[in-house]
Amino acid sequence: AFEDERYDYIFKLVVVGDSGVGKSSLVNQFCHESFTFDLKSTIGVEFNVKTVEVNGKIIKSQLWDTAGQERYRSVAASYYRGALGAVLVFDVTYTKSFLNLPFWIDEVKRYCADAKILLVGNKTDLKDLRGVTHADAFEFAAANNLMYVESSAKDNGSVGYAFKKLLGEVQSDR
Ligand code: GDP
């Protein structure tokens, strides 16, 4: 409907991080408010749109998800082009995905230097399997000038909070 098309801003966000950390699940939860196991990875780019209100402004976000390309470390420059924000995801139960964060920070800075970056420690529902502490992640984020939040893709509240935090940060610059 016409009314659905009204918005104050349109922002492109990219979602990056190692394979399996929960990128597609987070985008799905934010855009469709559901969580499904066994999401099929496809080759290419997944593209989702979600309109939310942040700070009294209607923001239409275009979410780009790598959909598996990151396994080959070949995410294309065009993926990043024009992105104003990046959701950088690691898995709090998988330390390697945390140790790989500098690779992703370099990528984002190379291809979209001005993008705001939100670091997201995902899968916090798996408390017993946790390998990266909140303190370690928070310290890493501070040292790299990133915002930090934690999420579970199963929990709509934490996911909405994360995306809206980044959108609000992007919007505050406009
Ligand atoms: P991607 O490769 O980064 O896009 O990761 P996916 O979204 O495909 O998720 C990889 C696997 O982790 C899937 O089996 C998901 O169901 C699972 N997963 C993703 N996020 C969470 C989460 O927050 N908690 C739990 N328990 N599992 C998750």
Side-chain angles (χ1 to χ4, degrees):
F2 174 70
E3 241 159 281
D4 294 334
E5 294 302 319
R6 296 193 321 185
Y7 52 84
D8 297 305
Y9 299 101
I10 184 155
F11 295 150
K12 173 179 172 178
L13 304 183
V14 289
V15 186
V16 297
D18 280 6
S19 185
V21 296
K23 299 182 298 299
S24 300
S25 302
L26 290 169
V27 170
N28 251 21
Q29 177 61 268
F30 183 55
C31 296
H32 313 297
E33 303 184 5
S34 69
F35 179 84
T36 38
F37 280 97
D38 293 323
L39 280 170
K40 235 189 294 161
S41 282
T42 50
I43 301 299
V45 172
E46 299 268 346
F47 184 80
N48 282 273
V49 174
K50 172 82 172 176
T51 303
V52 288
E53 191 177 323
V54 182
N55 301 330
K57 299 289 182 192
I58 300 171
I59 301 179
K60 184 170 180 173
S61 51
Q62 296 181 331
L63 289 143
W64 292 52
D65 178 15
T66 50
Q69 293 182 54
E70 74 279 17
R71 266 175 295 176
Y72 312 104
R73 289 277 162 108
S74 65
V75 178
S78 59
Y79 177 76
Y80 291 97
R81 194 170 299 127
L84 297 177
V87 180
L88 172 52
V89 187
F90 73 96
D91 174 348
V92 298
T93 72
Y94 190 49
T95 305
K96 191 160 187 291
S97 70
F98 179 68
L99 298 176
N100 278 340
L101 289 174
F103 167 82
W104 293 109
I105 294 171
D106 285 352
E107 287 270 296
V108 171
K109 295 209 161 144
R110 176 171 340 139
Y111 293 116
C112 43
D114 297 327
K116 304 276 183 188
I117 305 176
L118 175 69
L119 180 63
V120 177
N122 187 43
K123 306 198 188 180
T124 53
D125 58 289
L126 301 173
K127 292 188 180 69
D128 297 342
L129 299 175
R130 187 147 184 160
V132 181
T133 66
H134 181 280
D136 285 346
F138 190 84
E139 194 178 308
F140 176 85
N144 288 278
N145 265 314
L146 312 175
M147 299 174 279
Y148 180 60
V149 298
E150 300 197 327
S151 68
S152 163
K154 294 181 172 185
D155 170 32
N156 184 255
S158 67
V159 175
Y161 178 82
F163 281 100
K164 284 179 187 173
K165 185 176 176 70
L166 179 57
L167 290 170
E169 198 62 32
V170 171
Q171 191 251 313
S172 68
D173 262 15
R174 303 286 113 187

